[in-house]
């Protein structure tokens, strides 16, 4: 029986102690790591065994990643701009600097190990920062506001269209250059990280995906593909491509 690839998934969100409501007979309130189930379900449907990575000290990252075949960087809160040497914008949302340190180390070590990497929303931003790039901290300050990047519609609804570079890996995977996507962010890639190129844009010019064609599978998308993971959508192919890369195979683009 063929072994299913092990794909590590970061937990970029924290349920803070002051916002938890523990049972009277349970433990005292404490911070808890949080990860939406759509991430692990999408990976499992694509043929992986998802492994949730606990945000521990960076000294254990190499050990955590050693048995893995790929890494998925999940969505979550804003990245602390200190990670890329910038001062915080007045419009910066809540941040978790200690989680940033862990996730950026995961991205860097996975890169060094040559593991396939797929970043989603904040995960795409973390990938860019891990390679020395920077972020726009608040898109309304740098765009014409013609695209609502923080939709109020449910996550399974697509609210705007993208244009994808035809010769990109992303285009090959999705099988379309003009997919519709959802949108839950107010930050995005500014200066590109080393080896990354932009391959998808919203109509207001916002970078919606980055990739490294010269290396192992390295791809980040700004939308939440995990909540669009259903029949008839191209987005499940992103997870299939990651799992294929984790297994040392290529996704059958004719499928």
């Amino acid at each position: 029986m063929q072994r299913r690839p092990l794909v590590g998934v970061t937990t970029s969100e924290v349920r803070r102690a002051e916002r938890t409501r523990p049972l009277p007979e349970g433990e005292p309130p404490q911070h808890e790591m949080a990860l939406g189930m759509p991430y692990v379900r999408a990976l499992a449907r694509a043929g992986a065994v998802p492994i949730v990575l606990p945000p521990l000290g960076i000294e254990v990252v190499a050990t955590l990643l050693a048995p893995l075949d790929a890494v998925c960087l999940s969505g979550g809160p804003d990245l602390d701009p200190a990670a890329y040497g910038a001062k915080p914008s007045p419009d910066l949302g809540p941040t978790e600097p200690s989680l940033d340190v862990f996730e950026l180390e995961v991205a860097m070590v996975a890169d060094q190990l040559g593991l396939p990497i797929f970043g989603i929303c904040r995960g795409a931003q973390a990938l860019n920062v891990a390679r020395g790039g920077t972020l726009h901290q608040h898109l309304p300050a740098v765009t014409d506001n013609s695209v609502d990047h923080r939709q109020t519609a449910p996550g399974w609804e697509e609210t705007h269209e993208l244009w994808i570079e035809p010769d990109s890996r992303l285009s090959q995977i999705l099988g379309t250059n003009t997919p519709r996507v959802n949108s839950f962010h107010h930050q995005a890639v500014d200066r590109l990280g080393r080896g990354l190129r932009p391959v998808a844009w919203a109509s207001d010019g916002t970078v919606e995906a980055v990739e490294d064609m010269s290396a192992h599978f390295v791809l980040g998308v700004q939308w939440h593909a995990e909540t669009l993971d259903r029949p008839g959508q191209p987005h499940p192919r992103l997870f299939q491509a990651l799992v294929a890369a984790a297994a040392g195979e290529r996704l059958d683009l004719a499928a």
Side-chain angles (χ1 to χ4, degrees):
M1 184 175 180
Q2 187 175 7
R3 172 181 171 275
R4 290 164 63 114
L6 303 180
V7 178
V9 191
T10 57
T11 53
S12 302
E13 291 196 59
V14 166
R15 186 177 295 114
R16 302 193 67 79
E18 60 270 22
R19 296 182 180 177
T20 61
R21 303 177 69 177
L23 296 172
E25 64 273 18
E27 297 178 348
Q30 57 189 317
H31 291 353
E32 300 171 350
M33 63 182 191
L35 178 70
M37 286 300 292
Y39 293 100
V40 294
R41 288 174 179 148
L43 287 165
R45 279 194 289 267
V49 175
I51 306 294
V52 179
L53 301 176
L56 303 173
I58 61 173
E59 69 278 1
V60 303
V61 168
T63 302
L64 282 173
L65 268 55
L68 301 181
D69 301 298
V71 165
C72 177
L73 305 173
S74 65
D78 288 351
L79 280 157
D80 188 332
Y84 47 93
K87 295 181 179 180
S89 159
D91 298 302
L92 185 70
T95 62
E96 294 288 346
S98 61
L99 282 182
D100 296 349
V101 171
F102 173 78
E103 186 169 30
L104 292 173
E105 184 73 8
V106 168
M108 289 186 285
V109 172
D111 234 354
Q112 292 164 6
L113 294 174
L115 293 176
I117 302 172
F118 178 39
I120 296 174
C121 198
R122 169 197 156 98
Q125 298 165 13
L127 171 62
N128 189 60
V129 172
R131 286 196 167 197
T134 64
L135 304 177
H136 291 298
Q137 293 186 47
H138 190 57
L139 283 174
V142 296
T143 67
D144 61 8
N145 298 310
S146 60
V147 176
D148 183 5
H149 290 281
R150 303 191 80 165
Q151 71 184 55
T152 56
W156 58 84
E157 292 187 15
E158 307 94 337
T159 57
H160 72 87
E161 191 173 87
L162 304 181
W163 184 82
I164 298 177
E165 182 67 45
D167 69 346
S168 65
R169 171 183 279 148
L170 179 61
S171 174
Q172 294 171 2
I173 291 170
L174 292 180
T176 176
N177 297 327
T178 55
R180 290 188 61 78
V181 299
N182 56 18
S183 198
F184 295 95
H185 64 105
H186 76 117
Q187 299 195 315
V189 167
D190 182 8
R191 188 183 73 238
L192 288 164
R194 292 179 299 275
L196 296 175
R197 66 165 183 158
V199 292
W201 297 264
S203 61
D204 63 0
T206 299
V207 173
E208 292 276 344
V210 293
E211 67 181 32
D212 184 347
M213 287 287 283
S214 66
H216 50 282
F217 183 101
V218 176
L219 173 64
V221 302
Q222 191 59 70
W223 63 95
H224 279 271
E226 79 283 0
T227 60
L228 300 176
D229 182 55
R230 60 182 187 271
Q233 286 278 2
H235 306 286
R237 295 173 68 84
L238 292 165
F239 298 95
Q240 294 163 15
L242 176 69
V243 173
E249 304 169 352
R250 290 181 61 87
L251 179 66
D252 182 3
L253 300 173

